[in-house]
Amino acid sequence: MSLNLDRELATEIHQEKKLSLDGLKTTIATPSVTRHIMKAFNLRASKRLGQNFLVDANIVRGIVEAVGAKPGDRILEIGPGIGTLTQGLAESGAEVTAVELDKKLPAVLAETLAGYNNVRIVPGDILKVNIPEIMGDGPFKVAANLPYYITTPILMALLEKHLPMSILVTMVQKEVALRMIAKPGGKAYGALSVAVQYYTKPHIAFDVPPRSFIPAPEVDSVVIVCDVREKPAVEVQDEKMFFKVVKAAFGQRRKTIANAMKGAGFSRDTIEAAFAKSEIDSNRRGETFNLKEFAALADAIG
Ligand code: SAM
């Protein structure tokens, strides 16, 4: 890192043994270095942009390990912030492309990550950038400490596009992670569970306490690993119809699936024919359906 740390801070960091081995690249993931960078660039964490910066090098290491980052990998990072996780990913030797929405941060990242020539910062909104264009051909991995205000839209956008991703490792609110891995029948099971499990095999890697961030979020966090499936978990004739049925089922989850579908605009004839064909009980609630049953119902409509 090319920032000139003042003498006092440098001594403090050195005593904490947080200086990386070559003594040149200061680890960003500590409270003192993060505060120093924020002060030096006159930065305030923006609540609106979901900015909670990681200040725990063990968590960064855990994410890098979960990604399995290594030389030759191409990694897309969403929201690099001041470069904390980016640095860990870059240290692995992988090529990192990081998309950051906050217009102030590319100039900061140019300094904090000056020592790495395997990092490329792309200013922009991850929901708007053309990912195939910035990532080019071939498989890539995704790593992120996601902004919590748009976790679900980001996950859905990444998954629905059938990008050549092999793995998605992200920090999310614990409550969202529990929805991502939920099985039929429980309260946490919903459209997000179906979508994540249709495209990937998710598991929670580890918990992350609020004190691992500056500022500390008001919620508990976890790192979730989603291994992207080569083929979706169930075969469907029409993916759009599959997700239309899933959305309808959870749009009015207290209703029977047939009534929920009616509420979502499916005609009475379509619904009756689909249940007759699929031999599924139309009085069940959507939240009891597994992926296979949603697929059978959608195919019966298609
Ligand atoms: N990766 C850093 C870390 O771990 O300390 C920062 C994580 S912070 C939780 C989320 C980051 O995502 C912030 O830097 C924020 O500015 C950025 N961000 C928010 N919305 C975004 C969007 N739509 N596209 C790209 N980045 C976004």
Side-chain angles (χ1 to χ4, degrees), residues 13-14 17-27 87 91 116:
I13 292 165
H14 207 69
K17 295 199 173 44
K18 295 269 169 62
L19 221 55
S20 64
L21 286 180
D22 63 9
L24 291 172
K25 293 170 179 163
T26 307
T27 300
Q87 181 181 40
E91 284 281 341
Y116 300 91

Side-chain angles (χ1 to χ4, degrees), residues 150-166:
I150 42 165
T151 302
T152 304
I154 292 178
L155 291 174
M156 292 307 297
L158 290 173
L159 295 172
E160 281 172 351
K161 288 192 179 113
H162 288 279
L163 299 165
M165 289 184 302
S166 55

Side-chain angles (χ1 to χ4, degrees), residues 119-134:
V119 175
R120 181 167 58 118
I121 304 297
V122 178
D125 183 339
I126 192 65
L127 294 177
K128 294 190 185 144
V129 295
N130 184 335
I131 298 175
E133 199 174 290
I134 60 169

